Amino acid sequence: MEEMCGSGREYMNFCREDTIMAIIDKIIAQAKSNVKHIVLPEGEETRNIQAARKIADAGIAKLTVLGDPEKVKAVAAETNTCLCGIEIVDPKTSEKAASYASALYELRKAKGMTEEEAARKVQDPMFYGVMMVKMGDADGLVSGAIHSTGDMLRPALQIIKCKPGIKTVSSCFMMESPIEEYGVMIFSDCAVIPNPTAEELANIAVAAAESARTLAGIEPKVAMLSFSTKGSAKHDNVTKVQEATRLAREFAPELKLDGELQLDAAIVPSVGALKAPGSEVAGHANVLVFPDLQAGNIGYKLVQRFGKAEAYGPILQGIAKPCNDLSRGCSVDDIVATVAITAVQAQ
């Protein structure tokens, strides 16, 4: 998975007085309006502890950090960070470890997991944190500052799994453009699935539309991107996007969704009207679904670097309960932002 870029967020001021409120400020405000319980499995890591203090002070989420309490306290002392109001749980001594192990065994015994293995697994903060979410003892999880994406995703996919009706876990980026006519857009998938099938691409589109509503507060207009518009080119890659468009309409017939569309036909009104007349999406798309990971990853970075857009993500979508990944190079404010996003997803 692509690492979080964190563009602009290192300098984020949570009490900004901009005339136009940035999308991340809106998300933080929304998180504070209905506080959710988020677990941080990397409680023995400095940035997580510093972020936890900011989150608690701002009232963004109720927090549980996982780790050996003495090590957590030592990390906090190194940075003179107060831990008041932050719950610390040691998975190795937790009174809930036995019940979590039993539940994990029941979930995974068909895959060959033994009771002894389940008992060992829940002593791992990553597995313990995911079980907290699974069992309803936390609303979401944020990890990745010291765990690889694989180590973070594996237990989440094994235990929490996909949302009902969704077969694909993917990602999106919230892109906030300084160009007023574009504003906030969702780009997907830019970080998880290298070469999605037509069905996976359709699932990505439906999940990205939900992310647009939940996180960005926008009514989605979804463009299935290609190098062709409405059959202007013939190729297997075009056929895949056409089939994905058909399937996405079957999965979510209420969605404003169209494809296949070239990028200019998707976002430029005059081009959309010319190349896809009568489309309610062409020229006005705010959710861009890329045909594969290469296009998506390159696309968001071009917009971020050349277009000076803020890029928030990757944000996991399609999973039954929110779990989000961090870059191992993330800043404290990246963690704060990701916790706020996760809390809003949990709402």
Side-chain angles (χ1 to χ4, degrees), residues 55-79:
I55 293 160
D57 287 345
I60 294 168
K62 176 184 176 183
L63 290 178
T64 297
V65 299
L66 302 181
D68 180 325
E70 294 307 314
K71 291 181 180 178
V72 173
K73 290 173 185 176
V75 169
E78 288 173 4
T79 55

Side-chain angles (χ1 to χ4, degrees), residues 20 32-33 36 46 56 73 111 147-148 186 197 206 215 224 252 254 264 272 282 298 303 305 313 321 325 337-338:
I20 300 175
K32 292 166 68 173
S33 73
K36 294 298 180 181
T46 303
K73 290 173 185 176
K111 299 292 185 180
H147 283 83
S148 70
I186 298 293
T197 64
V206 175
L215 296 175
M224 308 295 285
E254 77 288 352
D264 55 354
I298 293 166
V303 173
R305 300 301 178 184
K321 295 186 178 182
D325 190 29
T338 306

Side-chain angles (χ1 to χ4, degrees), residues 37-61:
H37 185 177
I38 307 299
V39 58
L40 302 177
E42 298 169 326
E44 297 175 12
E45 195 274 335
T46 303
R47 290 164 295 173
N48 274 266
I49 292 301
Q50 292 174 308
R53 181 71 270 145
K54 282 192 171 187
I55 293 160
D57 287 345
I60 294 168

Side-chain angles (χ1 to χ4, degrees), residues 136-148:
D137 293 327
D139 299 306
L141 175 146
V142 172
S143 185
I146 55 175
H147 283 83
S148 70

Side-chain angles (χ1 to χ4, degrees), residues 12 35 58 69 74 86 94 111-112 120 133-134 164 181 200 210 218 251 255 285 294 296-297 316 319 331 337:
M12 194 161 49
V35 174
I86 299 169
S94 167
K111 299 292 185 180
R120 288 195 302 273
V133 177
K134 177 67 175 180
E181 65 190 275
E200 287 173 332
E210 180 62 23
I218 55 177
F251 297 161
L255 263 186
Q294 292 194 89
N297 191 271
L316 290 186
I319 196 162
S331 70

Side-chain angles (χ1 to χ4, degrees), residues 4 9 12 14 24 27-28 51 55 60 142 312 326 331-343:
M4 291 184 74
R9 281 174 283 159
M12 194 161 49
F14 298 112
I24 195 61
I27 287 172
I28 288 169
I55 293 160
I60 294 168
V142 172
Y312 298 100
L326 297 163
S331 70
V332 170
D333 284 341
D334 287 338
I335 300 173
V336 176
T338 306
V339 166
I341 288 167
T342 307

